[in-house]
Amino acid sequence: MTDDTHGLAGLAAPFCSLTPDQIDAFARYRDLLIEWNGRFNLTAVTDPAQIDRRLFLDALRMVEPLRAVARPRTEGQPIRMVDIGTGAGFPGIALKIALPDLDVTLVEATGKKVQFLEAVIAGLSLDGIVAMHARAEEIGVLPRYRGAFDLVTARGVSSLAALFEMAAPLLRIGGVGLFPKGLDLDEELTVGRRAARMVGIGVEASDLIPDSETRLVVTRKTAETPPQYPRRPGMPAREPLGALVKPAARPATRHSGR
Ligand code: SAH
């Protein structure tokens, strides 16, 4: 039975059509979010209508741009996507429900959120999706994940410069990144573009998504990421590539690591 009491299908219609099964899956996802939020603080968004508008619809607005730019490595294979800092599954699980053919890896640093992601994957009987309890910087140095993905997403996780350093190693050459961001982005983009060049990706667009308060930053990997990236966990956010760091703030040490 379709439970679309909140009218998600109608709200999503201008940019993404949903079948009754997909509406059901979103309804169950919404119920699990509300149930788990009572126990753990998963997301600040707790009201059902707000879950639809701010979490589901924001992710569904990425469906068209994703279709426009992302391609599998080999024709006929699924698009391999990694969602960095997915939190309670945004945009990763929402995109998986909308585009069931995606092969999705959710990466999340907080264990209790990973437990929730696993409960959603099981509760909605999703396949072709896994949740990893890890930091993006940790998997970016593993041969199994380096260059393995056609598409990277991340929402609300970090600055562009930090995201680019974490995302680029995971992408294959030609792979794309989709990063929803707020409207006031110019300064972050300036630093981000410098960081992008250092890790082998180019910024292709940063346009406003129609009828939203989101600019979608679209990147493409054009060159191999130098092996020193990503730096160790925490560094991409703490000392963003491309930022103008005062030399005096970084005393030289003989064993400074990377
Ligand atoms: N993308 C979700 C969650 C945003 S909150 C949304 O849009 O609602 C940011 C999340 O990123 C947190 O859950 C945090 O634990 C996770 N995170 C931050 N840095 C990370 C990293 N380097 N690797 C993996 N997860 C990270």
Side-chain angles (χ1 to χ4, degrees), residues 2 29-30 36 45 50 55 67 79 81 98 121 123 171 185 189 193 209 231 235:
T2 301
Y29 188 10
R30 188 195 297 120
W36 280 62
V45 182
Q50 290 294 320
L55 298 176
R67 281 209 182 103
I79 292 171
M81 164 183 152
I121 291 168
L171 285 173
L185 195 60
L189 256 179
R193 281 182 204 278
I209 297 182
R231 290 167 294 165
M235 286 295 280

Side-chain angles (χ1 to χ4, degrees), residues 160-161 185-197 241-243:
L160 287 173
L185 195 60
D186 293 348
E187 212 174 298
E188 194 180 328
L189 256 179
T190 303
V191 179
R193 281 182 204 278
R194 284 198 291 263
R197 278 193 290 275
L241 297 178

Side-chain angles (χ1 to χ4, degrees), residues 15-229:
F15 40 85
C16 168
S17 68
L18 297 171
T19 65
D21 283 350
Q22 287 169 318
I23 296 293
D24 277 344
F26 277 112
R28 268 179 291 151
Y29 188 10
R30 188 195 297 120
D31 289 345
L32 284 168
L33 264 171
I34 293 168
E35 184 194 323
W36 280 62
N37 238 336
R39 284 184 272 156
F40 303 133
N41 188 17
L42 283 176
T43 154
V45 182
T46 52
D47 168 66
Q50 290 294 320
I51 291 175
D52 281 11
R53 281 176 189 281
R54 294 187 32 206
L55 298 176
F56 295 166
L57 286 176
D58 268 15
L60 292 173
R61 284 194 175 91
M62 295 172 70
V63 167
E64 267 314 307
L66 188 161
R67 281 209 182 103
V69 295
R71 296 284 174 275
R73 189 192 300 260
T74 311
E75 203 52 50
Q77 294 295 305
I79 292 171
R80 288 199 70 190
M81 164 183 152
V82 55
D83 189 27
I84 295 174
T86 192
F90 300 100
I93 291 182
L95 288 173
K96 175 67 186 177
I97 295 171
L99 300 168
D101 291 341
L102 286 178
D103 181 295
V104 177
T105 300
L106 306 167
V107 179
E108 172 50 52
T110 305
K112 67 177 186 188
K113 293 184 181 175
V114 178
Q115 279 176 32
F116 171 73
L117 298 169
E118 282 167 350
V120 176
I121 291 168
L124 274 59
S125 305
L126 299 175
D127 55 22
I129 179 167
V130 292
M132 288 182 69
H133 181 199
R135 299 189 60 119
E137 301 94 312
E138 291 165 341
I139 69 163
V141 298
L142 302 177
R144 180 164 171 214
Y145 298 103
R146 210 168 163 98
F149 295 94
D150 306 302
L151 170 67
V152 177
T153 55
R155 171 182 181 268
V157 179
S158 216
S159 71
L160 287 173
L163 288 176
F164 294 168
E165 181 177 353
M166 295 192 277
L170 298 170
L171 285 173
R172 66 170 170 86
I173 301 232
V176 297
L178 295 177
F179 307 103
K181 282 279 170 181
L183 300 180
D184 181 13
L185 195 60
D186 293 348
E187 212 174 298
E188 194 180 328
L189 256 179
T190 303
V191 179
R193 281 182 204 278
R194 284 198 291 263
R197 278 193 290 275
M198 297 168 77
V199 296
I201 62 178
V203 177
E204 295 201 327
S206 57
D207 298 332
L208 180 71
I209 297 182
D211 301 318
S212 80
E213 309 230 318
T214 301
R215 283 172 70 179
L216 188 66
V217 177
V218 181
T219 66
R220 188 177 298 275
K221 182 158 169 175
T222 54
E224 285 301 343
T225 304
Q228 66 266 36
Y229 304 123

